[in-house]
Amino acid sequence: MSGTLRKGWCPSALHPMASGDGLIVRLSLDDGIVTPALAHRLAHLARQYGNGLLDLSSRANVQLRGVTETTLSALQAELRALGLLETDEAPAAARNILISPLAGIDPQAVVDICPSVHALRERLQHDDTLHQLPDKFSFIVDDGGALSVAWEKADISFLARVSTGSAYFLVSLAGQPVGRCAADELAGAALRILRAFLQLRRDTDQRMADLVRHVSVEAIAERAALTRTPNEIGDLPLPQPIGAFRVGAYHVLGLGIPFGRLDAAALEHLADVAETGRGTLRLTPWRAILITAAEAPDAAKLADSGLIFTEGDPLRAVAACPGAPGCASGSTPTHDDARRLAPFARQLKEQGIALHVSGCAKGCAHPSAAPVTFVGRDGRYDLVRDGAAGDTAIATGFEGDQLTLVLQQLVAKADA
Ligand code: SF4
């Protein structure tokens, strides 16, 4: 078999992760852009070498599911030919750059971040001193445009802002604003921060949040020679990617992917509609795919694809991981339970995730807190209120219709 299997780790194409339905092969697509031709190819690979199912991850990556040890080598050869197989030398951090999904085409953006992102990726790939970064080390680069990724978590975030006519990036470390850099200096500033991180950290598993706790953001900023600035993040709107809207010269159709899971046929339909409109697909971290096209995409052609067409759809209020049997750590059918509970969830919270149905305490689908989280354990669920899946449960042992009753009671209490 090509590559090494690592259990419980960020899967990649070279290092897939074992799960309940086979191997998970994660593909990082630079800038999250998928041409119709590539989408067709991925759908074919999902069927040919996996179980035909694909996941859209919360870092806007695509995962092929159900790959077997027998099919892995042939899949990797196909991915290599497509330029989608990473090398062992390239650090995982170079694949963990989450960017605004409309980057490069959004007239509302403060700056076109694409050149800065490409420069950062180059540095990460080719600077040997950075290869010691932890595999899960991650970046956000937000262009300040229509769909902001600034809410997402990362070790280092660069948020484009403008002041007296000049664009710059506000820099945050593990979510804490710490300084700024000029719009054309992102890669250089990132390099200085990364070197400061590597010099100051105490062990190789340490992430930025750990270092911030131990030595303070100020110490890291000083070591990285960052220009200090007051906290200017301000209020950020929650992204609303679903529906039809215009972005400059482009027609955009945002489609929700229930629980981030789609099958090969749905991906092919998306590719066909994008192709007809002379467009591409763009991946987002919000369980949604955007079609950006020269002509208005025909949503009616996707009517039978199992996708979500409005932000008000009950499924948009619920996060659920694969659970059982797709994940070996799960013991409950999370997707089925989440679909049944979805109609009640939005009453708990107006926007964003109101209910999280997690297969276990790891909470893969929604690492943050939710008003209600059901956490699978030994075939039943524990209940966490206003917390994440790993937080302390306030009640235990729910299953079947009990879940609906509990949720209805919580909704009634919230309304009272
Ligand atoms: S949270 Fe879900 S997907 Fe993650 S390990 Fe647990 S059961 Fe598996």
Side-chain angles (χ1 to χ4, degrees):
M1 184 182 66
S2 304
T4 312
L5 292 185
R6 295 172 177 175
K7 240 187 152 184
W9 194 242
C10 263
S12 68
L14 202 56
H15 299 290
M17 185 170 78
S19 193
D21 57 355
L23 303 177
I24 296 174
V25 172
R26 180 177 293 176
L27 310 176
S28 303
L29 303 158
D30 287 355
D31 300 343
I33 294 175
V34 185
T35 63
L38 179 56
H40 273 292
R41 199 72 205 136
L42 293 179
H44 165 76
L45 296 179
R47 277 201 195 94
Q48 178 88 10
Y49 302 110
N51 59 11
L53 296 176
L54 303 103
D55 287 339
L56 179 60
S57 81
S58 59
R59 300 297 295 182
N61 297 312
V62 169
Q63 297 178 168
L64 274 58
R65 299 196 70 96
V67 176
T68 68
E69 298 199 13
T70 315
T71 58
L72 181 62
S73 292
L75 171 62
Q76 288 174 330
E78 298 237 24
L79 292 173
R80 186 180 291 111
L82 290 167
L84 295 178
L85 190 72
E86 81 273 18
T87 63
D88 246 336
E89 294 74 39
R95 302 191 299 276
N96 291 343
I97 307 173
L98 178 63
I99 68 171
S100 307
L102 295 170
I105 62 168
D106 184 358
Q108 279 188 51
V110 169
V111 63
D112 179 0
I113 56 175
C114 295
S116 297
V117 171
H118 297 166
L120 172 59
R121 199 176 284 127
E122 280 281 305
R123 294 274 183 105
L124 289 167
Q125 279 170 341
H126 297 119
D127 187 329
D128 292 352
T129 62
L130 303 180
H131 292 191
Q132 310 150 41
L133 288 170
D135 275 5
K136 288 192 173 182
F137 202 92
S138 61
F139 302 83
I140 280 174
V141 185
D142 184 87
D143 65 9
L147 292 176
S148 175
V149 290
W151 282 90
E152 306 303 318
K153 289 185 175 173
D155 291 86
I156 306 178
S157 304
F158 293 93
L159 313 180
R161 293 286 185 273
V162 67
S163 172
T164 57
S166 298
Y168 65 94
F169 286 105
L170 187 63
V171 183
S172 295
L173 304 181
Q176 291 198 38
V178 66
R180 59 159 71 187
C181 70
D184 57 357
E185 286 177 357
L186 184 149
L191 210 67
R192 296 200 307 276
I193 298 168
L194 293 172
R195 292 202 171 120
F197 169 81
L198 291 170
Q199 286 162 8
L200 293 168
R201 73 176 179 174
R202 294 175 189 181
D203 65 69
T204 53
D205 288 334
Q206 203 166 35
R207 297 278 298 276
M208 187 61 84
D210 305 316
L211 191 63
V212 164
R213 267 196 300 278
H214 285 125
V215 305
S216 82
V217 281
E218 289 79 14
I220 304 167
E222 191 178 333
R223 180 73 68 106
L226 269 185
T227 306
R228 301 304 310 281
T229 188
N231 179 356
E232 304 163 38
I233 288 189
D235 289 335
L236 294 166
L238 266 181
Q240 304 269 315
I242 310 300
F245 52 101
R246 289 294 294 263
V247 170
Y250 290 83
H251 295 265
V252 182
L253 178 62
L255 297 145
I257 314 295
F259 313 127
R261 166 71 52 85
L262 78 169
D263 60 26
L267 183 58
E268 285 169 336
H269 287 142
L270 283 165
D272 288 341
V273 172
E275 192 162 28
T276 305
R278 292 187 289 127
T280 60
L281 305 177
R282 287 176 179 244
L283 311 179
T284 81
W286 311 299
R287 300 164 295 135
I289 289 180
L290 310 175
I291 298 176
T292 53
E295 294 163 23
D298 187 353
K301 290 199 170 137
L302 295 165
D304 298 326
S305 301
L307 303 173
I308 298 170
F309 294 86
T310 66
E311 203 63 68
D313 190 297
L315 290 177
R316 290 296 289 167
V318 188
C321 72
C327 177
S329 300
S331 60
T332 54
T334 46
H335 283 188
D336 293 346
D337 290 331
R339 274 186 193 278
R340 213 173 57 249
L341 297 169
F344 310 101
R346 187 48 85 211
Q347 295 167 65
L348 291 162
K349 188 182 173 198
E350 279 178 21
Q351 286 189 326
I353 296 301
L355 168 67
H356 178 193
V357 182
S358 184
C360 74
K362 200 171 166 196
C364 297
H366 188 67
S368 314
V372 173
T373 301
F374 287 119
V375 186
R377 186 168 56 85
D378 300 333
R380 297 180 174 215
Y381 286 97
D382 297 341
L383 168 64
V384 175
R385 278 290 267 154
D386 297 316
D391 290 339
T392 306
I394 60 166
T396 60
F398 301 111
E399 62 180 339
D401 291 343
Q402 289 175 326
L403 293 170
T404 314
L405 283 173
V406 168
L407 189 59
Q408 284 174 322
Q409 283 169 4
L410 294 172
V411 166
K413 264 193 201 164
D415 283 347

